[in-house]
Amino acid sequence: MTTLKPADWQDRGEGMMTPKQQRMLNAICGDLAAGLSWHGQRLTKDDWRHMVAGTMLGWRLMPAIDRGQGAPGHIMLGGSSLKLTKSLACDAITVLVQIGDHPEEQGLRARPVRWSDTVLLGLGHNPRDFNEELRAYEAA
């Protein structure tokens, strides 16, 4: 598996999201799932991907399926993250990193997400720098 670099996911255009963009998006969604609650709800990696895809591609409110168990209510439909263009994937990654780095901007009471090595490398950082900083912080 190759190491991601910022240029790997910052690709723009109307073509479909690249495999490297998909890898970065999945890594970020996994880190968000592990380190952040969304307004009191723990989301899975897939939940984060669905949420960002719906945000980028647009949501549609639809009547839910009536299963004969009372009022069916409504559901929100978005789109698959696989339908993101290169430009939308770049924007989605940027938005998710911003949420992870600054959760308070979304009204969340949480510490910033601790990114995995895959994400740190994809953002152009050396993970060892963050590990040394974390050890110094924990020792103080």
Side-chain angles (χ1 to χ4, degrees):
M1 194 179 293
T2 60
T3 301
L4 290 171
K5 303 178 296 289
D8 292 333
W9 62 269
Q10 293 173 342
D11 195 5
R12 292 204 161 268
E14 291 306 310
M16 297 310 295
M17 172 174 52
T18 68
K20 289 182 179 181
Q21 285 177 313
Q22 187 175 359
R23 207 166 119 220
M24 183 68 168
L25 183 66
N26 282 327
I28 289 169
C29 288
D31 290 353
L32 289 169
L36 197 62
S37 289
W38 185 256
H39 300 282
Q41 301 291 316
R42 282 308 262 197
L43 303 179
T44 66
K45 177 172 79 169
D46 288 341
D47 292 335
W48 279 100
R49 270 196 355 262
H50 293 300
M51 184 168 63
V52 77
T55 300
M56 294 295 147
L57 297 170
W59 292 101
R60 298 178 320 235
L61 182 63
M62 305 288 294
I65 296 170
D66 185 348
R67 297 177 49 213
Q69 299 173 340
H74 290 84
I75 60 167
M76 297 291 288
L77 296 178
S80 169
S81 59
L82 296 175
K83 299 289 184 195
L84 295 174
T85 63
K86 292 177 191 177
S87 292
L88 286 176
C90 181
D91 292 344
I93 291 166
T94 301
V95 164
L96 292 176
V97 169
Q98 184 67 19
I99 290 170
D101 284 348
H102 302 282
E104 72 284 354
E105 292 177 358
Q106 295 293 319
L108 305 176
R109 290 182 149 168
R111 291 180 180 213
V113 169
R114 185 158 187 245
W115 299 115
S116 61
D117 289 357
T118 299
V119 173
L120 289 172
L121 289 165
L123 295 173
H125 301 293
N126 183 337
R128 280 181 286 180
D129 293 341
F130 287 84
N131 292 333
E132 291 169 8
E133 187 177 305
L134 179 62
R135 279 195 296 275
Y137 174 78
E138 289 173 345

